Amino acid sequence: MRTTTTILLLTFLLVNNFPIQAKPRFFIASSGNCKEADEYIHYFESRIFNNLKKNFPCVEISSRSNVAATLEHERQRTLLGGETQDLVSIGSAMHAEYLVSLKVRILQATALIEAFCIDTRKNKTISRVFFKSAPGDAAIDAVENASEQLIEGLKKYEICPFTGPINVTVKTEQNNKEVESYAVYCNGVDGTFHRLESISSNSVANWRLNKTGKYTTSGSLSYSLFEESIIEEQNPCALCPSGKKGPIMHNEKTERSANIRGLSNESVAEGIQINDARTEITFLDNGTYIIKIIAASNQGVLKIKTDLKIEGCEKRSANEIINKKADVPLDEILGPFNGTSSDKVLSGSKTIVREDSETKEKTTITYSFNLRND
């Protein structure tokens, strides 16, 4: 159980223009420094285009040849020996989530072949290759190798979104009792100090999520909490309000309860309010992947009821009920699991048990998922 600060922080993390378009779009920008280099470029483009379609059937692709006028200025810069500028802006202007840059330069008897792919949303290069060869057949082989290796680098990322259900149940239990007892002496009489402090709590959060895009996630939550803490203290030699020592009996019981339903929807993507939930799949180099889930509930009410009774040389009693706004967060990394971005289905299930060594609180996390990228 957290305060509403959790929602505000999570919302800040989620408002990031996550792509909610149906298909990821690639834009291919290519350039050569001479007529001979342009001949390799045409072949380079076709190989990249075909390999993208073969490995990521969901994508849409456009290229420099489709928008030659728009990119003519950048092409002239490259022909004059300058580096291509503002590639991210170009990709964004083409409404592309990914920009592929292909370059072939012929310098004397050497062909320099370079390709890289930028995630325009993150302004991050996610795959890069470079080959150097002699012109002719060797350069054609280098173009083919560059095309294949660039695609291999992209396979580490979730290009075609996996979608489907992810169910996570988080249960917590705590039953802790501490007893303290020792001899005391005052007013000419021996006595025994005794204190019992116990806490008993349990909560259940059922997250029923549905991954709808590369990051976007919808779903529902049902959460319930009940916690009871008790303090019983008998002190025959307590310091009384009068300044003398005497007996005090302290009894205090506190109950906390909450029932929260639904996901928060403070986040915005492409001008649309969406659930405060995000799922991200990361593919690792060893043929495995992990799933990171972040979500926040609607605001709910945490009810705190306190009954206090003090008797003896000090007398006091109180009955208080306080209602506080609260929300429930989910922040879990699941895995690693065996699988790659080339798989059509990613699925798994497991139960994880954790115990806090200090509080003795036991947390049981049960999850299952079945994601497809058809």
Side-chain angles (χ1 to χ4, degrees), residues 107-161:
L107 302 176
Q108 297 179 353
T110 303
L112 304 177
I113 297 161
E114 180 184 7
F116 60 87
C117 180
I118 295 176
D119 183 332
T120 63
R121 306 266 179 164
K122 297 181 179 179
N123 194 8
K124 175 185 176 183
T125 299
I126 59 177
S127 185
R128 180 187 289 273
V129 294
F130 177 79
F131 284 83
K132 181 168 66 174
S133 74
D137 290 344
I140 292 175
D141 290 341
V143 165
E144 291 178 347
N145 289 333
S147 302
E148 292 175 2
Q149 289 192 22
L150 186 76
I151 299 300
E152 284 300 312
L154 295 179
K155 289 181 180 179
K156 298 177 183 178
Y157 300 88
E158 187 186 3
I159 303 298
C160 291

Side-chain angles (χ1 to χ4, degrees), residues 165 167 289 291 337 345-350 367-371:
N167 297 320
Y289 64 94
I291 301 176
F337 312 97
V345 178
L346 303 177
S347 63
S349 61
K350 193 174 182 179
Y367 65 82
S368 64
F369 61 92
N370 187 40
L371 306 175

Side-chain angles (χ1 to χ4, degrees), residues 236-251:
C237 292
L239 183 63
C240 301
S242 64
K244 296 181 179 181
K245 290 186 176 181
I248 288 181
M249 286 71 71
H250 179 129
N251 291 278

Side-chain angles (χ1 to χ4, degrees), residues 167-298:
N167 297 320
V168 182
T169 298
V170 182
K171 295 182 179 180
T172 65
E173 299 174 88
Q174 184 180 16
N175 288 286
N176 196 19
K177 181 184 291 187
E178 295 181 359
V179 177
E180 185 180 10
S181 184
Y182 54 85
V184 294
Y185 176 84
C186 66
N187 302 323
V189 179
D190 291 323
T192 301
F193 172 90
H194 181 82
R195 177 184 173 89
L196 179 147
E197 187 170 353
S198 68
I199 182 169
S200 175
S201 69
N202 64 78
S203 69
V204 179
N206 287 308
W207 302 86
R208 297 295 176 258
L209 304 176
N210 185 38
K211 188 174 183 293
T212 57
K214 186 174 179 180
Y215 301 107
T216 53
T217 304
S218 61
S220 63
L221 163 73
S222 62
Y223 174 82
S224 62
L225 163 74
F226 182 78
E227 176 182 293
E228 181 182 75
S229 60
I230 295 174
I231 297 175
E232 295 178 352
E233 181 177 304
Q234 298 177 3
N235 187 356
C237 292
L239 183 63
C240 301
S242 64
K244 296 181 179 181
K245 290 186 176 181
I248 288 181
M249 286 71 71
H250 179 129
N251 291 278
E252 183 176 351
K253 182 169 76 171
T254 303
E255 294 180 351
R256 294 176 175 86
S257 60
N259 285 283
I260 300 175
R261 298 289 181 268
L263 297 181
S264 170
N265 64 342
E266 298 297 320
S267 297
V268 177
E270 297 183 6
I272 301 172
Q273 280 194 303
I274 59 174
N275 286 140
D276 288 335
R278 170 183 175 175
T279 306
E280 182 175 2
I281 301 174
T282 301
F283 294 95
L284 308 177
D285 292 334
N286 60 357
T288 64
Y289 64 94
I290 59 175
I291 301 176
K292 182 174 179 60
I293 307 171
I294 301 176
S297 72
N298 281 323

Side-chain angles (χ1 to χ4, degrees), residues 316-328:
R316 182 157 52 96
S317 65
N319 300 100
E320 185 179 50
I321 296 178
I322 299 175
N323 291 325
K324 291 186 176 181
K325 291 183 178 180
D327 61 85
V328 185

Side-chain angles (χ1 to χ4, degrees), residues 330-345:
L330 176 66
D331 188 352
E332 289 292 335
I333 296 178
L334 310 181
F337 312 97
N338 292 324
T340 69
S341 63
S342 299
D343 294 338
K344 291 298 181 184
V345 178

